[in-house]
Amino acid sequence: MTKELGIGIIGTGFMGKAHAFAYRAALAAFPDIPAPRLEMIADVEEGLAARAAHQYGFARSSASWRQLVNDPRIDVVSITTPNTLHKEMALAAIAAGKHVHCEKPLSPSLAESAQMVEAAEKAGVVTQVGFNYIKNPLLKLARDMVAAGELGEITGFRGIHAEDYMHDPDGPYSWRIDPVGGPGVIADLGSHIIGMARFLLGPITEVSADVRTVVKSRPVGRGAKERKDVLVDDVARILVNFGRGCGGTIEANWIATGRKMQLGFELTGEKGSLVFTQERLNELLFYKAGGDAKTAGYARIEAGPQHAPYGQFCVAGGHQLGFNDLKTIEMGEFLRAIGGGERAGPDFREAYEIQKVVDAAIASSSARGWVRVG
Amino acid sequence: MTKELGIGIIGTGFMGKAHAFAYRAALAAFPDIPAPRLEMIADVEEGLAARAAHQYGFARSSASWRQLVNDPRIDVVSITTPNTLHKEMALAAIAAGKHVHCEKPLSPSLAESAQMVEAAEKAGVVTQVGFNYIKNPLLKLARDMVAAGELGEITGFRGIHAEDYMHDPDGPYSWRIDPVGGPGVIADLGSHIIGMARFLLGPITEVSADVRTVVKSRPVGRGAKERKDVLVDDVARILVNFGRGCGGTIEANWIATGRKMQLGFELTGEKGSLVFTQERLNELLFYKAGGDAKTAGYARIEAGPQHAPYGQFCVAGGHQLGFNDLKTIEMGEFLRAIGGGERAGPDFREAYEIQKVVDAAIASSSARGWVRVG
Amino acid sequence: MTKELGIGIIGTGFMGKAHAFAYRAALAAFPDIPAPRLEMIADVEEGLAARAAHQYGFARSSASWRQLVNDPRIDVVSITTPNTLHKEMALAAIAAGKHVHCEKPLSPSLAESAQMVEAAEKAGVVTQVGFNYIKNPLLKLARDMVAAGELGEITGFRGIHAEDYMHDPDGPYSWRIDPVGGPGVIADLGSHIIGMARFLLGPITEVSADVRTVVKSRPVGRGAKERKDVLVDDVARILVNFGRGCGGTIEANWIATGRKMQLGFELTGEKGSLVFTQERLNELLFYKAGGDAKTAGYARIEAGPQHAPYGQFCVAGGHQLGFNDLKTIEMGEFLRAIGGGERAGPDFREAYEIQKVVDAAIASSSARGWVRVG
Amino acid sequence: MTKELGIGIIGTGFMGKAHAFAYRAALAAFPDIPAPRLEMIADVEEGLAARAAHQYGFARSSASWRQLVNDPRIDVVSITTPNTLHKEMALAAIAAGKHVHCEKPLSPSLAESAQMVEAAEKAGVVTQVGFNYIKNPLLKLARDMVAAGELGEITGFRGIHAEDYMHDPDGPYSWRIDPVGGPGVIADLGSHIIGMARFLLGPITEVSADVRTVVKSRPVGRGAKERKDVLVDDVARILVNFGRGCGGTIEANWIATGRKMQLGFELTGEKGSLVFTQERLNELLFYKAGGDAKTAGYARIEAGPQHAPYGQFCVAGGHQLGFNDLKTIEMGEFLRAIGGGERAGPDFREAYEIQKVVDAAIASSSARGWVRVG
């Protein structure tokens, strides 16, 4: 196995920092992975890049992402820029033989994502996309329980990812709702819950959706009188069919006033059920049918070292993981895959499959009926 | 106002008993209503009727519901029998000039329900249908808050009524799933959450649904090897449009393993949100946008005398109402309406409107696209 | 078994109404008990008594409680007046050969309560005291689980009854804090949680307490400038020893801002634990040691017909009981005992034993050390 | 301000790793602190030390803690060994002029801790002790709300730290319960909740406690028949008086079957209340008296960037911090203090003050009455 991997991060914002935390923690958590060597961080604003390099412990900084992707000491590139930039950066990094981690959504359009998948697979590099929430040890438990048949035949899934950062109709127009970046909430949050559904239950084969813009216009700036039409969706409600035969619903919503992180699901099987919400990410509710009726009930499972890889962070239960720990698991798995270990993904192809569901839902909403995915 | 009303109940089962409790408690809770005089209870099994009369304090019993509906000392008839029998009983009672309370669903088919509505409205009698859950003081509060604009423009509704009494695929075939009684869960539980959605937000105008049978066959009897095909639905998932402009989803599910009473919703508006589940019927969560960010959060409202008519049951907060209290509120409002007070409903017409949504959802599921209601 | 029992209630306030609801519902819930015949209700205000008699369905009313306790058609007397009046009424009722239900606390002082116990036991009448919360089917389950050893050796109890009706230091002086009525919160709320502890775990043998007055004075009336010294306790915190060997703490608090009904406990044993709060009276949390570590956790047990006598109120789980249903169970058990069935209590003697703990705690607080109970 | 600080950690176990994670993340979270330079990690087992140095990114390793504390390139020493070793290591580090972070409890006895405090204060080095839980942004919010009077006069505190790692009476005897290490749960967990109480409300001046050994003997090894007497406490229940005038209770319990991290409190004031449990460390419940009665209730505050220093980890609310993030805040504050910034503590002296409360509680339990602290 490779002993060390040179790391480069493009972008110093929310996700750039999260990647930095994760790379800094990854080896401490996972002794079996190649050691990340923090080589370079890039940002169009040179000062930001330099400051970030110091703060996050990277050897060098650059205002040029091209310099970064072509640096011979760099083996791994993390792309944390706005998604309109992903394709160009990813293709360049792949062309330079780098392994690539890219934040989601992969790109504004399915066609662009297809190019990225093709390039990556042709080059044989390892890719990963930032669907961090499924790295939760309790979601791995959930997936394993489903796979082991502990819930029996699965009969339903009811998923949602709702937050409220766009709920105020007087919140100003921004890059986030510029259609050049692709769809709205269905791509931004919807991709998380669609990915989670796929992680747990496998492919979604068919959708019938209502994807709509609720806040029809927004001020051109904070407090501005002039308003601009909003062209992307605020809420997506989707009826889904899974390839395994069961049905479900999925909602993505960024105007869900009050919700900061309502990413969750109820997953129902003939023999049991699971309930999860990222609002309490260290808990999983489990109901097992057939027990003593007097004392049956949803058990609140608390994350602990019995749920790998929680124990890599803390040997005692109840201490709890946070968001940045999920990101560390994600990076640990990515580096392990590059080192020759299991490719846990989700890789570019999986992100592309998720995007197909997004696209099918949008098409379905226009067609006002069911549409097959892909 | 009428001083007293003679009461007759048809049926001595689950709902017959609930009505008896409610009529016994109604005047104690609501001094302003006509006093119910417990006249007669009927059941095809004479012994059950006689025993019930003694136990519930009715003056007389009968094996003949016809005798009951034609008894001159009876002013009010409660129909708590299986829904295949509702129409005949209701029409006879109406013909005899009685006010009629009928359990839901009103009848197996929209056509029959239409007849019932027509007869009742022509006769001018007061009718009510057993959508008991919306009698909750906290749901009245929710409705009032919506109506008063406290949540701003409403942007979404996510409702569900899920239980698990049919989750076991080896649970035997029963009257409950005989299609002669109408649809499956969409009528049995779906009508509750559809009714609740209408109570809170007004008419649903359009639906796109996936209504499906998951357990395709069931043993003809407990433990039997022979199985019989199931023809009614186990799960209904519905995209909805409200007349007021907002969208939402509604699910009805009787194979939701682990759930005993997951009847609830999230209701989101530009300025606030409400979350409710009948699993904790004395609580309502309320998020109000725009407060101090440091201390903002969902407030857990606990039912108390400040939420009418809770105070009719208990002068102190925190003591909690139960299911039978909701039924008492329902009967209290029904008797008040008969006495000339407000007709709070839901009456036969409202039940008919709810059934239209059920029918539209079923039609939509076949058509695999949106269908207008009514 | 006696076929019928004539009922008389003294008092038409909060508890008078609760008793009326309960007597009206008792036979409908419990067919095996003697039928209560609602004979008379008394109140010093004649108009209130008359109105209550009509509203609650009692045959007669009276302004004289003496008339009531001496009425030959009355077999059972419910005393729901302020506790300064209990003794005189109870002794008169007992002298007249009546069975007596009395609200808690039994009397302002242990000596008076001793007289009441003695009189009742000498006369051989059935007595009961209104510790309604332990009538919850889930608390019966808890008690049975403890008794059956399902939690193993019990190692701790952490109980509380906290509400906030006295939290405002500008809330006026009232009868509730007049020391003529006995101690403050330790009697009013403390007796509930002490009674619950005894119900679950048996006698408390020793206490060390801090019983204190926090709001030292209150306005003589609402808005008044003049203030009057408060002589009774607002908070009691008690270290306890149970006769069975385990320790615990108990708190009673009526200035617990925000709490409307925080009556609950954590009960810990070597093999399992239970957690309960009356705020969610239809739920009991149960942790069972020794299961599969991956899926272990507190199970949320929801009340259902498997928890007797829930099924007497509703045949389906999840529907929930309310406060008045607990009161109905209480009255049902009382009437059953009078009819010759099990004396479930708590009777006058048990109330007296609870009061001994209250008194010992007060004595302990003065002595600043441990005091034996009784 | 110092630009860089050389870091040495003694110990590679649970806490050694937690310190390593924290030092690795501290600068990334807090750009204003001196940059930690990871110099050396020591462990009696040389192999462990070497492996940890590689994994955690330390430049060197050693089997000798003395070498570490005397290394001139090291400015800061973290002591994460068993508490019997703390004093010797801390005194040596202080003698070498190092700043010292030491895990809690500071030492097995008050006398030893006093020596440590004296040495540190004389030397003028910065010290800190690992009371990590109070580093939670929501606890800083709680403390600030109390200090700002948002809850009015504080009237009560009900704290607990309960876990279950010792609940099994057949769990073997271990170093943890060897009295050479000091008291039992009251030191191990009790110090956390006592420290939290002091953090929020200030000094505890008086205690009356019941400190007891419940599991009287344990097998000498796993599965062994021979048992050894247990001499340290399993449960401590303490009545407390705060210097500010209010009372409360504190419990420490390591046989609380089912609990993994029940570290929490209810804090009640005349105008409001707070409820917290480390089981849901990203939530704080807040009740504010005096609002609209219809919609009043406990607000569930979710941690977000409005609660400093959450925003240093993540710019968006709802993402959640985990245990290791709290540790990072702790180390960040420690390094900032060394660099000349605010000494946020808790320092050796505060740990010593906490230990005084522990000792007073033990003395009180023997004396069976109140004991003044210190």
Side-chain angles (χ1 to χ4, degrees):
Chain A
M1 187 191 262
T2 322
K3 281 288 181 41
E4 277 193 8
L5 291 168
I7 307 293
I9 298 178
I10 311 176
T12 63
F14 182 0
M15 277 301 129
K17 189 174 190 176
H19 283 229
F21 272 122
Y23 283 122
R24 287 195 64 77
L27 186 66
F30 303 104
D32 66 313
I33 64 171
R37 203 181 54 241
L38 308 182
E39 283 292 341
M40 191 187 291
I41 190 158
D43 197 290
V44 276
E45 290 193 45
E46 189 147 19
L48 284 181
R51 220 177 316 154
H54 168 69
Q55 199 184 337
Y56 307 155
F58 279 70
R60 292 163 291 142
S61 65
S62 173
S64 158
W65 65 263
R66 290 201 181 274
Q67 185 190 349
L68 186 150
V69 300
N70 290 309
D71 188 289
R73 279 161 296 181
I74 288 177
D75 305 295
V76 176
V77 175
S78 267
I79 302 171
T80 71
T81 51
N83 67 342
T84 48
L85 304 173
H86 290 178
K87 191 187 77 173
E88 189 181 10
M89 292 170 174
L91 293 183
I94 291 165
K98 313 303 189 194
H99 304 288
V100 183
H101 185 295
C102 185
E103 276 304 317
K104 40 70 48 182
L106 201 49
S107 82
S109 75
L110 204 51
E112 291 167 276
S113 295
Q115 282 182 266
M116 293 166 75
V117 173
E118 193 185 16
E121 295 187 348
K122 209 164 169 183
V125 299
V126 176
T127 60
Q128 187 143 340
V129 183
F131 294 102
N132 27 248
Y133 301 113
I134 58 175
K135 297 306 174 184
N136 188 329
L138 291 178
L139 288 192
K140 292 174 188 285
L141 172 65
R143 180 202 54 187
D144 292 348
M145 290 173 76
V146 169
E150 291 187 45
L151 309 176
E153 185 73 22
I154 303 304
T155 62
F157 180 84
R158 186 172 182 248
I160 189 168
H161 193 163
E163 302 193 15
D164 73 355
Y165 47 90
M166 302 296 282
H167 85 91
D168 180 359
D170 292 328
Y173 201 93
S174 73
W175 61 267
R176 200 193 285 278
I177 54 176
D178 187 334
V180 77
V185 72
I186 194 170
D188 194 21
L189 300 185
S191 59
H192 276 300
I193 182 62
I194 290 167
M196 197 175 278
R198 286 177 50 92
F199 174 72
L200 295 164
L201 297 180
I204 292 167
T205 51
E206 218 182 6
V207 293
S208 178
D210 174 14
V211 182
R212 62 170 75 186
T213 307
V214 173
V215 181
K216 305 279 199 247
S217 71
R218 291 183 178 274
V220 294
R222 191 158 296 281
K225 285 216 166 139
E226 195 193 339
R227 298 180 76 92
K228 190 169 172 180
D229 284 351
V230 175
L231 300 175
V232 301
D233 54 294
D234 292 317
V235 190
R237 301 180 178 96
I238 319 175
L239 305 176
V240 301
N241 262 323
F242 290 89
R244 67 192 298 141
C246 84
T249 57
I250 285 178
E251 177 169 335
N253 191 332
W254 64 21
I255 56 169
T257 311
R259 291 297 181 185
K260 309 307 172 191
M261 186 49 81
Q262 188 189 21
L263 166 60
F265 59 82
E266 299 211 29
L267 195 169
T268 308
E270 285 177 353
K271 296 184 185 164
S273 292
L274 295 172
V275 183
F276 174 79
T277 174
Q278 185 72 13
E279 290 179 344
R280 289 174 173 164
L281 71 93
N282 289 279
E283 301 179 17
L284 179 68
L285 303 185
F286 171 41
Y287 183 92
K288 190 180 173 63
D292 176 355
K294 282 206 176 179
T295 56
Y298 282 88
R300 181 165 69 95
I301 303 170
E302 292 178 86
Q306 67 275 34
H307 309 117
Y310 174 104
Q312 303 303 119
F313 294 86
C314 182
V315 296
H319 282 65
Q320 302 195 22
L321 302 187
F323 174 75
N324 286 330
D325 298 320
L326 302 186
K327 214 71 197 166
T328 298
I329 297 173
E330 183 184 338
M331 291 311 169
E333 291 182 354
F334 179 45
L335 298 178
R336 182 181 295 120
I338 295 171
E342 186 203 0
R343 295 198 177 195
D347 60 8
F348 278 15
R349 180 159 290 278
E350 171 60 11
Y352 175 65
E353 294 298 329
I354 291 168
Q355 203 165 0
K356 279 187 191 164
V357 179
V358 168
D359 270 33
I362 294 170
S364 150
S365 188
S366 299
R368 293 177 61 81
W370 288 88
V371 165
R372 287 205 66 78
V373 174
Chain B
M1 188 192 260
T2 322
K3 281 290 183 38
E4 278 195 6
L5 292 167
I7 307 292
I9 297 177
I10 311 176
T12 63
F14 182 0
M15 278 301 129
K17 188 174 191 175
H19 283 227
F21 272 122
Y23 283 124
R24 289 195 64 76
L27 187 65
F30 302 105
D32 66 312
I33 64 171
R37 204 182 54 240
L38 308 182
E39 282 291 339
M40 190 187 290
I41 190 159
D43 196 290
V44 277
E45 290 193 46
E46 189 148 20
L48 284 181
R51 220 178 315 153
H54 168 69
Q55 199 183 335
Y56 307 154
F58 279 70
R60 293 162 292 141
S61 65
S62 173
S64 159
W65 65 264
R66 289 198 182 276
Q67 185 190 350
L68 185 149
V69 300
N70 290 308
D71 188 288
R73 277 162 299 182
I74 288 175
D75 306 296
V76 176
V77 174
S78 266
I79 301 172
T80 72
T81 53
N83 67 341
T84 49
L85 304 173
H86 290 176
K87 189 187 78 173
E88 189 181 9
M89 291 170 172
L91 294 182
I94 291 165
K98 313 304 190 195
H99 305 287
V100 182
H101 185 294
C102 184
E103 276 305 317
K104 40 70 46 183
L106 202 49
S107 82
S109 74
L110 204 52
E112 292 166 275
S113 295
Q115 281 182 266
M116 293 166 76
V117 173
E118 191 184 19
E121 294 187 348
K122 209 162 170 185
V125 298
V126 177
T127 60
Q128 188 143 338
V129 183
F131 294 101
N132 26 248
Y133 302 113
I134 58 174
K135 296 306 174 185
N136 189 329
L138 290 177
L139 289 192
K140 292 175 189 286
L141 172 65
R143 179 201 54 186
D144 292 349
M145 290 172 77
V146 169
E150 290 188 43
L151 309 176
E153 185 73 23
I154 303 304
T155 62
F157 181 85
R158 187 172 182 245
I160 189 168
H161 193 164
E163 302 192 15
D164 73 356
Y165 49 89
M166 301 296 282
H167 86 91
D168 180 0
D170 292 327
Y173 200 95
S174 74
W175 61 268
R176 199 194 286 275
I177 54 175
D178 187 334
V180 75
V185 72
I186 195 172
D188 195 19
L189 300 184
S191 59
H192 276 301
I193 182 60
I194 291 167
M196 196 174 279
R198 286 177 51 91
F199 174 71
L200 294 164
L201 296 181
I204 292 168
T205 51
E206 220 183 1
V207 293
S208 178
D210 175 13
V211 182
R212 61 170 75 186
T213 307
V214 173
V215 181
K216 306 279 201 247
S217 71
R218 291 182 177 273
V220 295
R222 190 157 295 282
K225 285 216 167 142
E226 194 191 339
R227 296 181 77 92
K228 190 168 170 178
D229 285 351
V230 175
L231 300 174
V232 300
D233 54 294
D234 291 319
V235 190
R237 300 179 180 97
I238 318 175
L239 305 176
V240 301
N241 262 322
F242 289 90
R244 67 190 302 140
C246 82
T249 57
I250 285 176
E251 176 169 337
N253 191 332
W254 64 22
I255 56 169
T257 310
R259 290 297 182 184
K260 308 307 172 192
M261 183 53 78
Q262 188 188 21
L263 165 60
F265 59 82
E266 299 211 31
L267 195 169
T268 308
E270 286 178 353
K271 297 184 185 163
S273 291
L274 296 172
V275 184
F276 174 79
T277 174
Q278 185 71 15
E279 291 180 344
R280 288 173 174 165
L281 72 92
N282 288 280
E283 300 178 17
L284 179 68
L285 304 185
F286 170 42
Y287 183 91
K288 191 179 173 63
D292 176 355
K294 283 207 175 177
T295 56
Y298 282 88
R300 181 165 69 95
I301 303 170
E302 294 179 84
Q306 67 274 35
H307 309 116
Y310 174 104
Q312 303 303 121
F313 294 86
C314 183
V315 296
H319 282 64
Q320 301 195 22
L321 302 187
F323 174 76
N324 285 331
D325 297 320
L326 302 186
K327 214 69 196 169
T328 298
I329 297 172
E330 182 184 339
M331 292 311 171
E333 292 181 354
F334 179 44
L335 298 178
R336 181 180 297 120
I338 296 171
E342 188 204 357
R343 295 198 176 194
D347 60 8
F348 278 15
R349 178 159 291 278
E350 171 60 11
Y352 175 66
E353 294 298 329
I354 291 168
Q355 203 166 358
K356 279 186 192 166
V357 180
V358 168
D359 269 35
I362 294 169
S364 150
S365 188
S366 300
R368 295 177 59 80
W370 288 87
V371 164
R372 287 205 65 79
V373 174
Chain C
M1 187 193 261
T2 322
K3 281 290 183 38
E4 277 193 9
L5 292 167
I7 307 293
I9 297 177
I10 309 177
T12 63
F14 182 178
M15 277 301 130
K17 189 174 189 176
H19 283 229
F21 272 122
Y23 284 123
R24 288 195 64 77
L27 186 67
F30 303 105
D32 66 313
I33 63 170
R37 202 181 55 241
L38 308 182
E39 282 291 340
M40 191 187 289
I41 190 159
D43 196 290
V44 277
E45 290 194 44
E46 189 148 19
L48 284 181
R51 221 178 315 154
H54 168 68
Q55 200 184 334
Y56 306 154
F58 280 69
R60 290 161 294 141
S61 65
S62 173
S64 159
W65 64 264
R66 290 198 182 276
Q67 185 190 351
L68 185 149
V69 299
N70 290 307
D71 188 290
R73 278 161 299 181
I74 288 176
D75 305 295
V76 176
V77 175
S78 268
I79 301 172
T80 72
T81 52
N83 68 340
T84 50
L85 304 173
H86 290 178
K87 190 186 78 171
E88 189 182 10
M89 291 171 174
L91 293 183
I94 291 166
K98 311 306 189 194
H99 305 287
V100 182
H101 185 295
C102 184
E103 276 304 318
K104 41 68 50 181
L106 201 49
S107 82
S109 74
L110 204 52
E112 292 167 276
S113 295
Q115 281 182 267
M116 293 166 75
V117 173
E118 192 185 18
E121 295 187 349
K122 207 162 171 186
V125 298
V126 176
T127 59
Q128 186 144 341
V129 183
F131 293 102
N132 26 248
Y133 301 113
I134 59 175
K135 297 306 174 184
N136 189 329
L138 290 177
L139 289 192
K140 292 174 188 285
L141 172 65
R143 181 201 53 187
D144 292 350
M145 291 173 77
V146 170
E150 290 187 46
L151 308 177
E153 185 73 22
I154 302 305
T155 61
F157 180 84
R158 186 172 183 247
I160 189 169
H161 193 163
E163 302 192 14
D164 73 355
Y165 48 89
M166 302 296 283
H167 85 92
D168 181 359
D170 291 329
Y173 201 94
S174 74
W175 61 268
R176 200 194 282 277
I177 53 175
D178 187 334
V180 76
V185 72
I186 195 171
D188 194 20
L189 299 185
S191 59
H192 275 301
I193 182 61
I194 291 168
M196 197 174 278
R198 286 177 51 91
F199 175 72
L200 294 164
L201 297 180
I204 292 168
T205 51
E206 220 182 3
V207 293
S208 178
D210 175 13
V211 182
R212 63 170 73 186
T213 307
V214 173
V215 181
K216 305 279 199 248
S217 71
R218 291 182 178 274
V220 295
R222 191 158 294 283
K225 285 215 165 142
E226 197 192 338
R227 297 179 77 93
K228 190 170 172 179
D229 285 352
V230 175
L231 300 173
V232 300
D233 54 293
D234 292 319
V235 190
R237 302 179 178 95
I238 319 176
L239 304 176
V240 301
N241 263 322
F242 289 90
R244 68 191 300 142
C246 82
T249 57
I250 285 178
E251 177 169 336
N253 191 331
W254 64 21
I255 57 169
T257 310
R259 292 297 183 183
K260 307 308 172 192
M261 184 53 79
Q262 189 190 20
L263 165 61
F265 59 81
E266 300 211 30
L267 195 170
T268 308
E270 285 178 353
K271 296 184 185 164
S273 291
L274 296 172
V275 183
F276 174 79
T277 175
Q278 184 73 13
E279 290 180 344
R280 289 174 173 165
L281 71 93
N282 289 280
E283 300 179 17
L284 179 68
L285 303 185
F286 171 41
Y287 183 91
K288 191 181 173 63
D292 176 354
K294 283 207 177 179
T295 55
Y298 282 89
R300 182 166 69 95
I301 303 170
E302 294 179 86
Q306 69 273 34
H307 309 116
Y310 174 104
Q312 304 303 119
F313 293 86
C314 182
V315 297
H319 282 65
Q320 303 195 21
L321 303 187
F323 174 76
N324 286 329
D325 297 320
L326 303 185
K327 214 71 197 165
T328 298
I329 297 173
E330 183 184 338
M331 292 310 170
E333 292 181 354
F334 179 44
L335 298 178
R336 182 181 296 119
I338 296 171
E342 187 204 358
R343 294 198 178 194
D347 59 8
F348 278 15
R349 179 159 289 280
E350 170 62 11
Y352 176 64
E353 295 296 330
I354 291 168
Q355 204 166 358
K356 279 186 191 166
V357 180
V358 167
D359 270 34
I362 294 170
S364 149
S365 188
S366 299
R368 295 178 58 81
W370 288 88
V371 164
R372 288 206 64 80
V373 174
Chain D
M1 185 192 263
T2 321
K3 281 289 182 41
E4 277 194 7
L5 291 167
I7 308 291
I9 297 178
I10 310 176
T12 63
F14 182 177
M15 277 302 129
K17 189 174 190 175
H19 283 228
F21 272 123
Y23 283 123
R24 289 194 64 76
L27 186 66
F30 302 104
D32 65 313
I33 63 171
R37 203 184 52 241
L38 308 182
E39 282 292 339
M40 191 186 291
I41 190 159
D43 196 292
V44 278
E45 290 193 46
E46 188 149 19
L48 284 181
R51 219 177 316 153
H54 168 69
Q55 200 183 336
Y56 307 154
F58 279 71
R60 291 162 293 141
S61 65
S62 173
S64 158
W65 65 263
R66 290 197 183 274
Q67 185 188 350
L68 186 149
V69 300
N70 291 308
D71 189 287
R73 279 162 297 180
I74 288 176
D75 306 296
V76 177
V77 175
S78 267
I79 301 172
T80 73
T81 52
N83 67 340
T84 49
L85 305 173
H86 290 178
K87 191 187 77 174
E88 189 182 8
M89 291 170 174
L91 293 183
I94 291 166
K98 312 304 189 194
H99 304 287
V100 183
H101 186 295
C102 184
E103 276 304 317
K104 39 70 47 184
L106 201 50
S107 82
S109 74
L110 203 52
E112 292 167 276
S113 295
Q115 281 182 265
M116 294 166 76
V117 172
E118 194 186 17
E121 295 187 350
K122 209 163 166 183
V125 299
V126 176
T127 60
Q128 187 144 339
V129 184
F131 294 102
N132 27 247
Y133 301 114
I134 58 174
K135 297 305 174 185
N136 189 329
L138 291 177
L139 289 192
K140 292 174 189 284
L141 173 65
R143 181 201 53 185
D144 292 348
M145 291 172 76
V146 169
E150 290 188 45
L151 308 176
E153 185 73 24
I154 303 304
T155 61
F157 180 83
R158 186 172 182 245
I160 189 168
H161 193 163
E163 302 193 15
D164 72 356
Y165 48 90
M166 301 297 282
H167 86 91
D168 181 359
D170 292 327
Y173 200 94
S174 74
W175 62 267
R176 200 193 285 277
I177 54 175
D178 188 334
V180 77
V185 72
I186 195 171
D188 195 20
L189 300 185
S191 59
H192 276 301
I193 181 61
I194 291 167
M196 197 175 278
R198 285 177 52 90
F199 175 72
L200 295 164
L201 297 180
I204 292 168
T205 51
E206 219 184 1
V207 294
S208 178
D210 175 14
V211 183
R212 59 170 76 188
T213 307
V214 173
V215 181
K216 305 278 200 247
S217 71
R218 290 183 178 273
V220 294
R222 190 157 295 282
K225 284 216 167 139
E226 195 193 339
R227 297 180 77 93
K228 189 168 172 179
D229 285 351
V230 175
L231 300 174
V232 301
D233 54 293
D234 292 319
V235 190
R237 300 178 179 97
I238 318 175
L239 305 176
V240 301
N241 261 323
F242 290 89
R244 66 191 300 141
C246 84
T249 58
I250 284 178
E251 177 169 337
N253 191 330
W254 64 21
I255 57 169
T257 311
R259 290 297 181 183
K260 309 307 172 192
M261 185 50 79
Q262 188 189 21
L263 165 60
F265 60 82
E266 300 211 29
L267 197 170
T268 307
E270 284 178 353
K271 297 185 186 163
S273 291
L274 296 172
V275 184
F276 174 78
T277 174
Q278 185 71 14
E279 291 180 344
R280 288 172 175 166
L281 71 92
N282 289 280
E283 301 178 18
L284 178 68
L285 303 185
F286 171 41
Y287 183 91
K288 191 180 173 63
D292 176 354
K294 284 207 175 177
T295 55
Y298 282 89
R300 180 164 70 93
I301 302 170
E302 293 179 84
Q306 68 274 33
H307 308 116
Y310 174 104
Q312 303 303 118
F313 294 87
C314 182
V315 297
H319 282 65
Q320 302 194 22
L321 303 187
F323 174 75
N324 286 330
D325 298 319
L326 302 186
K327 214 70 195 167
T328 298
I329 297 173
E330 184 184 339
M331 292 310 170
E333 292 181 353
F334 179 44
L335 298 178
R336 182 181 296 119
I338 296 170
E342 188 203 359
R343 295 197 177 195
D347 60 9
F348 279 14
R349 179 158 290 279
E350 171 61 11
Y352 175 66
E353 295 297 328
I354 290 168
Q355 204 166 357
K356 279 186 191 166
V357 180
V358 167
D359 270 34
I362 293 170
S364 150
S365 189
S366 299
R368 295 176 60 80
W370 288 87
V371 164
R372 288 205 65 79
V373 174

